[in-house]
Amino acid sequence: MIRNLGRLVLATLVGILLVSGWATFRIWSAGNRDDQRPADAIVVLGAAQYNGRVSTILRSRLEHAIDLYDAGLAPWLVLTGGKAQGDRTTEAASARAFALARGVPASAILIEDQGRTTLESLRGVAGVLRDHGLASALFVSDRTHMLRVLRIARDEGITAWGSPTATSPSDATFGNRFEATVHELGGLMSYFVAGEGP
């Protein structure tokens, strides 16, 4: 009985390691692929802001997205992210101010400012795109975030491609990327098992 229990525990651990290894490979593979191409819109996933000042992570996403917009890959820039408790403004509003300062016209910016998680934001983005008759989008986020973003976007009925930023602090060191990967493993598990996530 004890021997069988030990084998079961060992088999479970090996299974977890194999699944985690495969998921890690998929996360890094998706994050290292840039599928930039013409689309109906460019969508920037939100990140922290501090009273209207974008964080370095959000700045890196916005700078990359604005480069894509300036290259003519899409006529719309969709900015996402709500606000945490105690915040005076939203991630989307802070991102909008940054984009305007970089020369993106207000008429080209669409906002999703209710989502506090990736899932909530992408569900909101799907609604924004539908409301404007848009079907496809080029998504911008960090490398480790791209697999989950694209999976959820496609599950929401969006024709989705990814163009990750290469300058995010989450990629600055191996330690940062490892930490971001662990976070994404948890996010993917939460999405697939419970239909929710960070």
Side-chain angles (χ1 to χ4, degrees):
M1 180 71 172
I2 294 176
R3 181 179 297 175
N4 288 339
L5 183 60
R7 287 176 178 168
L8 179 61
V9 169
L10 180 60
T12 301
L13 290 175
V14 170
I16 290 172
L17 287 174
L18 288 173
V19 170
S20 296
W22 174 246
T24 297
F25 169 77
R26 292 288 312 282
I27 288 169
W28 287 13
S29 177
N32 287 328
R33 186 173 60 249
D34 190 337
D35 288 328
Q36 58 179 268
R37 66 186 70 193
D40 293 335
I42 297 163
V43 179
V44 185
L45 274 294
Q49 58 81 32
Y50 310 104
N51 293 324
R53 181 173 55 85
V54 299
S55 63
T56 53
I57 289 178
L58 184 52
R59 174 186 293 268
S60 71
R61 296 177 185 182
L62 287 165
E63 288 175 342
H64 182 59
I66 291 168
D67 285 344
L68 296 174
Y69 174 82
D70 288 341
L73 291 182
W76 296 98
L77 191 61
V78 182
L79 306 175
T80 74
K83 62 180 177 179
Q85 188 173 3
D87 282 352
R88 288 190 286 183
T89 189
T90 64
E91 294 169 1
S94 299
R96 182 178 185 275
F98 184 92
L100 290 173
R102 294 301 174 96
V104 179
S107 58
I109 298 174
L110 300 175
I111 295 292
E112 185 294 305
D113 61 2
Q114 299 302 306
R116 287 298 307 146
T117 67
T118 298
L119 180 58
E120 290 174 357
S121 291
L122 289 173
R123 284 177 173 165
V125 166
V128 169
L129 294 178
R130 282 193 301 270
D131 290 347
H132 288 81
L134 310 176
S136 65
L138 188 58
F139 286 85
V140 175
S141 191
D142 300 341
R143 285 174 168 163
T144 52
H145 197 200
M146 289 309 308
L147 178 65
R148 183 158 56 103
V149 166
L150 293 175
R151 177 54 190 260
I152 296 172
R154 289 165 182 160
D155 286 349
E156 292 297 318
I158 303 168
T159 301
W161 301 284
S163 183
T165 177
T167 60
S168 175
S170 68
D171 254 346
T173 67
F174 177 80
N176 289 347
R177 193 166 192 185
F178 177 79
E179 183 179 342
T181 300
V182 170
H183 175 80
E184 281 307 306
L185 287 170
L188 285 167
M189 180 179 296
S190 179
Y191 179 65
F192 285 124
V193 173
E196 55 189 42

